């Protein structure tokens, strides 16, 4: 027994020495680490100034990208309608915010696909191929967006911001500045979304009133009406294929 224990001890010592030798060889070899540096220096040539301004412009566009996506596309109407629908169903946080926002984003990509294809064909690709200048590319890119927003904006909302900006009355839609068109489009989208939300609320309010009246007539005052009406709301929404109808109505409202 003692001899077997001594053999195990000597074997463990030998393995330990081998492990130390291997780790020493590994740590002895230098490890190449990437060098990361950030330098801020004064611009000595005009090209350096232009490059700095371009980087600043790109960072500004990236900062404003969420606002552009929300206020210059169909995203506002879609997400507001989804919020009204969830409140009308009284399902608390179901579907979750991540699901609603993700669905609203993909529906936005779907509705805005013709606009973005036109921007890609008329502005982005010619500019990347060096066929047009940066200013022409910007004008070609803004034109389809302006056309989409003008189609969805009410004249009353446009007149409001034209009067508030104290500019001369435009003779054509092309003379309306973009900074006037964007807020007019935003409040028009909100009004349309609220109108759709009001229509969505009506059948669910009727169910709530019927359930509440029934419970009161039965003397069941302590039972929350929302708990009883929720299954009937879900059943109605499923029977009429609610998601299909809501999404179809939203998509058709932009055409």
């Amino acid at each position: 027994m003692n001899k077997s224990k001594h053999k195990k001890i000597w074997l463990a010592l030998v393995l330990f020495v081998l492990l130390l030798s291997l780790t020493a060889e590994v740590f002895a070899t230098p490890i190449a680490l990437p060098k990361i540096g950030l330098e801020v220096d004064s611009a000595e040539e005009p090209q350096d100034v232009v490059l700095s301004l371009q980087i600043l412009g790109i960072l500004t566009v990236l900062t404003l990208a969420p606002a552009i996506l929300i206020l210059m596309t169909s995203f506002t109407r879609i997400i507001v309608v989804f919020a009204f629908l969830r409140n009308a169903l009284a399902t608390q946080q179901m579907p979750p915010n991540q699901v609603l926002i993700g669905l609203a984003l993909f529906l936005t990509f779907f509705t805005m696909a013709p606009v973005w294809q036109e921007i890609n064909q008329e502005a982005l690709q010619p500019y990347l191929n060096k066929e047009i200048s940066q200013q022409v590319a910007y004008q070609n890119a803004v034109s389809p967006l302006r056309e989409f927003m003008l189609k969805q904006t009410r004249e009353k909302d446009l007149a409001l911001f034209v009067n508030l900006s104290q500019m001369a009355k435009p003779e054509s839609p092309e003379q309306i500045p973009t900074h006037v068109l964007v807020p007019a489009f935003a409040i028009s989208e909100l009004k349309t979304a609220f109108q759709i939300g009001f229509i969505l609320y009506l059948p669910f309010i009727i169910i709530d009133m019927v359930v509440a009246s029934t419970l009161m007539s039965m003397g069941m005052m302590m039972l929350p009406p929302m708990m009883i009406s929720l299954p009937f709301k879900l059943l109605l929404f499923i029977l009429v294929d609610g998601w299909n109808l809501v999404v179809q109505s939203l998509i058709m409202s932009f055409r």
Side-chain angles (χ1 to χ4, degrees), residues 19-67:
L19 182 62
L20 286 178
S21 62
L22 290 175
T23 53
E25 291 179 0
V26 170
F27 285 108
T29 57
I31 300 175
L33 296 176
K35 180 181 179 182
I36 301 175
L38 180 63
E39 297 182 0
V40 179
D41 199 358
S42 60
E44 298 179 356
E45 298 181 0
Q47 292 82 359
D48 297 335
V49 178
V50 173
L51 181 60
S52 300
L53 293 177
Q54 289 178 350
I55 295 175
L56 180 61
I58 293 173
L59 293 176
T60 303
V61 171
L62 291 176
T63 304
L64 297 176

Side-chain angles (χ1 to χ4, degrees), residues 62-253:
L62 291 176
T63 304
L64 297 176
I68 294 173
L69 177 63
I70 292 173
L71 295 181
M72 298 179 68
T73 63
S74 58
F75 181 81
T76 301
R77 183 187 305 184
I78 295 172
I79 193 62
V80 172
V81 169
F82 283 166
F84 274 120
L85 176 60
R86 187 171 65 180
N87 290 334
L89 286 170
T91 53
Q92 302 301 325
Q93 295 297 321
M94 295 301 296
N97 291 330
Q98 293 85 349
V99 175
L100 291 183
I101 293 175
L103 180 58
L105 281 175
F106 277 100
L107 290 178
T108 302
F109 296 153
F110 181 81
T111 55
M112 300 298 296
V115 177
W116 290 337
Q117 289 176 0
E118 185 176 355
I119 292 174
N120 183 48
Q121 295 175 0
E122 301 295 333
L124 182 59
Q125 294 301 326
Y127 178 71
L128 294 177
N129 296 329
K130 299 181 180 180
E131 297 175 359
I132 57 177
S133 63
Q134 185 175 1
Q135 184 177 2
V136 175
Y138 172 75
Q139 293 176 354
N140 293 344
V142 172
S143 179
L145 272 177
R146 286 175 52 87
E147 183 179 354
F148 171 79
M149 289 189 292
L150 283 169
K151 185 178 179 181
Q152 304 298 328
T153 306
R154 295 175 175 82
E155 294 184 1
K156 181 179 180 181
D157 298 326
L158 275 176
L160 170 65
F161 285 96
V162 168
N163 294 331
L164 292 177
S165 62
Q166 297 180 354
M167 59 176 291
K169 184 178 180 180
E171 299 179 357
S172 63
E174 290 75 15
Q175 295 180 356
I176 300 176
T178 304
H179 70 276
V180 173
L181 176 59
V182 172
F185 169 74
I187 64 173
S188 291
E189 288 293 283
L190 288 174
K191 182 177 180 179
T192 304
F194 274 63
Q195 290 175 346
I196 299 175
F198 172 75
I199 297 173
L200 287 174
Y201 256 96
L202 289 179
F204 301 116
I205 288 178
I206 294 174
I207 294 177
D208 287 333
M209 293 176 62
V210 171
V211 171
S213 301
T214 304
L215 292 177
M216 289 183 63
S217 63
M218 295 175 63
M220 304 175 70
M221 306 294 296
M222 301 301 295
L223 187 62
M226 298 297 295
M227 183 181 299
I228 305 300
S229 63
L230 179 57
F232 293 100
K233 291 180 180 179
L234 295 177
L235 181 61
L236 174 64
F237 195 70
I238 293 171
L239 290 177
V240 300
D241 199 0
W243 287 111
N244 188 295
L245 290 176
V246 171
V247 171
Q248 181 182 2
S249 301
L250 282 172
I251 299 300
M252 295 303 297
S253 66

